[in-house]
Amino acid sequence: MTADGTTKSPRGGTVRSRVRGRYGARGHTGEARVADGATALPSTDRRRLVLVLLLAVTVGVFTATVPLLRDWFDLRVYYGTVDAWIHHGGRIYDYRVPGTTYGFTYPPFAALGMLPMALVGLRTAIVLALLLNLAALAVVVGFLVGPALRRHGWFGLALTACLLPLFEPLRDTFSFGQVNLVLLALVLTDARLLARGHGRWAGVGIGLAAAIKLTPALFIALLLLGRRRRAAVVATAVAGAATGLAAWAAPDASRFYWTDALWDTGRVGRLAYVSNQSVQGVLARLAAPGEPSRALWATAVLLVLCVWAWRTSRALAADDWAAAFALTGLAACLVSPITWVHHLVWLLPSFAVLLRHRRLRIAAALYGVLCSSVVWLWFDDASGLDGFLGSNIYTWITLGLLLWLPVGEAVRPGTGRAAAPVSPAVGARRPAERHPGGRRARVTRRHREAADPASPSGADPNDVPQVRRAAPGPP
């Protein structure tokens, strides 16, 4: 014991100094310095409240000055399609929004899932869509960063509530009345089941999502790549059953979709439109006003899928299913013929992976770009080098994440050490470590206080292995 009450460590220095060096020292500014050199969030409630209020004002000013509302356009497509089909004897794929050429583009099962809208008016449908998207967002955020939010309490929730509305894919999803958040929630539910070892029902969410929209079908390939054959079979069976149900309920619409509408990308929109942030969109803007080469696009898609398989295999080898699901969402956005900006909510799992690996500056920079709506600067003209780089910047972000998203061991919050990888084969709890003699290994309160009297929890047991070995513990 030294004069200031600290404990000498056999590894050199004092336990308190080593713990403070690892966890960061608190300065007079009220902010803590973390191990990677970044500034931690404010540590006092007053500073946290000030930050939340500043962010809330920023969100308000941004919302008031930047055009955000898409007038529920996609929801109007869904509602008009169902209304024409049920109440006016129309056909699903014949409906067009008045004054436009846009109609329903999803598989017939999606129309079946939207049938409840036939029972309500358009305004009620808008309210219900908002509530559904809010519920889906809560599920997604809970799955991705729930433990971190619980650690930060009200401040974490308030900070998240301020930051999410600025994210362009999210705000477009809400203002279009889109379904992407619901699909993401379904897929992440399966990821959660796998992570907790409850594989019996895993695959149902992915199967439903693939039946509503084809893009999530790539997650079935992920299950096969990760040798989760039962989940892959369940997903395929659910998607097939849902598609069969739609074929029984609307045989003509099903026949038309699978033989005609599926292959007609013009029904969805112009490939060269700046909102199309897929590989096909990049090629279409390069070829405009002509048509992009289908052979070149197929080659590019094959390359992207090869990169996806390579990087995902590395993640799976490290039992990092969180990264594997994130990489699959990225690849799905790139290979889809059309990936509108609002489809990029599939990037949210990648941000969770960046945060888990403490890549805070990278996550903040990418978040800032995806809030900026910068691609719309090239709405009228995407020619030239600046157009090639700027109009496709969301595609470059997605591709960069596919190539360099960290996989494997992550850094534990508050330490500089690696955390255990995320594995679906491991339950939420691990068996307690035991001494070779059969006694449970733990650090008693007396040793924790000796390690750091100023801290109720003491030092990280990993930092004082000599104390861990010396603690006898109860049988």
Side-chain angles (χ1 to χ4, degrees), residues 16 51 55 57 87 94 101 108 110 174 179 185 192 202 214 234 287 353 357 368 386 392 419 466 468:
R16 178 181 292 179
L51 177 59
L55 284 173
V57 171
H87 297 301
D94 285 348
T101 60
F174 275 88
V179 299
R192 183 81 159 191
L214 297 181
V234 170
V353 172
H357 284 264
D386 65 316
N392 303 310
Q466 293 83 359
R468 175 185 285 272

Side-chain angles (χ1 to χ4, degrees), residues 134-418:
L134 283 171
L137 180 60
V139 170
V140 169
V141 171
F143 285 169
L144 295 179
V145 293
L149 291 183
R150 286 190 289 273
R151 283 197 302 270
H152 292 289
W154 71 268
F155 177 60
L157 292 174
L159 197 62
T160 304
C162 289
L163 293 176
L164 287 178
L166 300 178
F167 191 62
E168 185 179 5
L170 268 181
R171 66 178 192 253
D172 273 6
T173 291
F174 275 88
S175 61
F176 271 116
Q178 258 284 340
V179 299
N180 298 295
L181 272 177
V182 176
L183 304 183
L184 179 57
L186 287 172
V187 170
L188 290 182
T189 298
D190 278 351
R192 183 81 159 191
L193 292 173
L194 289 171
R196 294 195 166 190
H198 303 309
R200 180 178 180 182
W201 296 102
V204 174
I206 291 174
L208 288 174
I212 294 171
K213 203 170 183 177
L214 297 181
T215 304
L218 186 60
F219 287 92
I220 299 178
L222 168 63
L223 296 175
L224 292 172
L225 195 63
R227 298 182 180 180
R228 294 296 186 268
R229 296 183 179 87
R230 176 187 174 89
V233 169
V234 170
T236 304
V238 169
T243 302
L245 177 63
W248 171 79
D252 292 339
S254 295
R255 187 181 307 108
F256 176 78
Y257 177 80
W258 295 107
T259 61
D260 189 303
L262 173 62
W263 315 102
D264 183 9
T265 56
R267 292 179 55 88
V268 184
R270 290 189 302 110
L271 292 176
Y273 188 48
V274 74
S275 183
N276 184 13
Q277 293 294 309
S278 67
V279 171
Q280 179 80 302
V282 174
L283 298 177
R285 283 185 285 277
L286 281 175
E291 291 294 322
S293 167
R294 292 190 176 184
L296 182 59
W297 173 67
T299 302
V301 166
L302 182 60
L303 288 175
V304 168
L305 291 176
C306 288
V307 172
W308 165 77
W310 166 58
R311 298 234 56 220
T312 303
S313 296
R314 290 188 59 191
L316 294 172
D319 278 339
D320 191 352
W321 279 78
F325 270 84
L327 291 167
T328 305
L330 297 169
C333 289
L334 290 170
V335 303
S336 176
I338 291 183
T339 297
W340 302 134
V341 169
H342 52 263
H343 295 160
L344 297 179
V345 294
W346 291 98
L347 270 62
L348 288 175
S350 298
F351 278 90
V353 172
L354 290 174
L355 294 177
R356 181 165 61 90
H357 284 264
R358 310 296 289 170
R359 307 294 176 85
L360 305 183
R361 291 190 179 94
I362 295 176
L366 298 183
Y367 166 82
V369 175
L370 286 163
C371 290
S372 67
S373 301
V374 64
V375 296
W376 298 99
L377 294 175
W378 289 271
F379 175 80
D380 293 319
D381 183 11
S383 61
L385 179 61
D386 65 316
F388 175 71
L389 297 176
S391 68
N392 303 310
I393 193 167
Y394 294 172
T395 309
W396 306 142
I397 288 175
T398 308
L399 184 59
L401 287 171
L402 181 66
L403 290 169
W404 292 297
L405 188 74
V407 301
E409 293 184 343
V411 176
R412 289 200 308 256
T415 76
R417 297 193 171 193

